[in-house]
């Protein structure tokens, strides 16, 4: 069971909802319009508000659902999974406290595979989106309070600058620092019980998100990055 969870996450997250919505709503290949990206921002720009909102929710869920399944299907000690799905209790594998690191690693690898599935979908020739919405879904399952802080930070930067890319980059770069602060604030670093796999994961996806925005960074430096505006004609 543990080894199947990351594979399941990759398959679920590889579903290119932006491409599917583009074909269903307007019969277009979203990759041939706007930025060419299958993610939420391009769907908003090309197809409008409601298709964009639907794409956003679906991209969040394909990160959230696999991680919640992993958390509920594999645990250690007498801990209750959060969020708890009671209907999965009969299928849960519970390992002793001594296997804490292994269980946490399975959760983190599942989360990472969900993001990689979105970013490098095999249905799109191992190409995909930039992973911001799917990363948010993953973080809502792993560390919901931190995810809400990142959403607030994203919105502040976006509303000030109107650059989705800049807001995404700043939120991604803040994630590892926020994870460290949370562990320190709750005394986990001090007593040696902090979730090291979670910190390594936050560092990895922060770097990955910034790397996926490298073309945006270059345009921001050149002053040619597009600010978010209403949809354009496809």
């Amino acid at each position: 069971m543990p080894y199947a969870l990351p594979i399941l996450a990759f398959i679920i997250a590889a579903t290119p909802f932006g491409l599917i919505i583009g074909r269903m709503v307007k019969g277009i290949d979203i990759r041939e319009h706007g930025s060419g990206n299958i993610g939420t921002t391009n769907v908003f720009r090309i197809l409008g508000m409601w298709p964009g909102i639907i794409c956003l929710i679906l991209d969040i869920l394909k990160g959230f659902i696999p991680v919640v399944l992993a958390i509920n299907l594999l645990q250690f000690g007498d801990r209750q999974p959060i969020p708890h799905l009671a209907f999965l209790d009969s299928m849960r594998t519970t390992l002793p406290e001594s296997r804490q690191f292994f269980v946490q690693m399975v959760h983190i690898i599942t989360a990472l595979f969900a993001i990689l599935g979105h970013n490098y979908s095999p249905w799109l020739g191992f190409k995909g989106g930039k992973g911001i919405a799917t990363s948010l879904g993953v973080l809502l399952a792993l560390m919901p309070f931190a995810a809400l802080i990142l959403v607030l930070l994203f919105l502040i930067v976006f509303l000030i600058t109107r650059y989705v890319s800049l807001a995404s980059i700043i939120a991604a770069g803040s994630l590892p620092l926020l994870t460290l602060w949370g562990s320190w604030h709750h005394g986990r670093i001090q007593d040696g019980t902090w979730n090291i796999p979670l910190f390594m994961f936050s560092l990895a996806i922060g770097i990955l998100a910034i790397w996926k925005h490298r073309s945006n960074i270059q345009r921001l430096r050149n002053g040619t990055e597009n600010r978010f505006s209403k949809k354009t004609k496809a």
Side-chain angles (χ1 to χ4, degrees):
M1 170 64 72
Y3 304 104
L5 292 170
I7 297 172
L8 177 65
F10 188 89
I11 293 171
I12 292 173
T15 307
F17 287 120
L19 181 66
I20 294 170
I21 291 170
R23 294 197 186 280
M24 290 180 64
V25 173
K26 284 197 173 181
I28 64 170
D29 186 334
I30 195 72
R31 295 172 296 178
E32 298 174 356
H33 302 271
S35 66
N37 194 273
I38 65 164
T40 300
T41 302
N42 202 36
V43 173
F44 265 108
R45 282 198 178 108
I46 303 303
L47 302 178
M49 181 176 70
W50 287 112
I53 290 174
I54 292 171
C55 184
L56 174 64
I57 292 171
L58 290 173
D59 280 352
I60 289 173
L61 286 175
K62 70 184 184 181
F64 181 79
I65 290 174
V67 178
V68 168
L69 288 175
I71 290 171
N72 278 269
L73 290 173
L74 182 65
Q75 271 296 332
F76 62 92
D78 58 356
R79 299 199 176 201
Q80 190 82 314
I82 301 174
H84 180 211
L85 303 180
F87 68 92
L88 293 176
D89 285 351
S90 61
M91 294 183 281
R92 184 185 308 153
T93 299
T94 302
L95 300 180
E97 288 278 354
S98 60
R99 303 297 303 279
Q100 173 182 343
F101 185 82
F102 172 77
V103 171
Q104 290 173 338
M105 279 301 299
V106 172
H107 295 166
I108 295 307
I109 292 172
T110 301
L112 182 60
F113 270 56
I115 296 169
L116 292 175
H118 174 78
N119 288 0
Y120 304 102
S121 172
W123 322 129
L124 303 177
F126 292 96
K127 297 180 181 179
K130 295 179 178 176
I132 298 301
T134 304
S135 296
L136 174 60
V138 162
L139 292 173
L140 284 170
L142 289 173
M143 40 194 302
F145 184 68
L148 294 176
I149 292 176
L150 290 175
V151 169
L152 180 61
L153 178 61
F154 174 93
L155 290 174
I156 291 171
V157 176
F158 170 69
L159 291 173
I160 292 173
T161 67
R162 307 299 292 183
Y163 287 124
V164 174
S165 58
L166 182 60
S168 300
I169 291 165
I170 290 176
S174 301
L175 175 58
L177 299 176
L178 187 59
T179 306
L180 271 180
W181 177 83
S183 297
W184 175 83
H185 179 71
H186 290 98
R188 301 297 186 184
I189 292 178
Q190 294 89 323
D191 63 16
T193 62
W194 65 303
N195 191 333
I196 297 175
L198 181 60
F199 170 69
M200 297 303 296
F201 169 74
S202 68
L203 185 62
I205 66 169
I207 292 172
L208 178 62
I210 294 172
W211 170 255
K212 292 288 286 185
H213 283 84
R214 60 193 183 279
S215 59
N216 303 87
I217 293 172
Q218 187 60 47
R219 288 194 295 271
L220 285 165
R221 293 179 63 184
N222 295 338
T224 57
E225 177 73 330
N226 292 323
R227 284 187 167 88
F228 186 83
S229 58
K230 294 181 180 179
K231 69 174 182 178
T232 57
K233 290 185 178 181

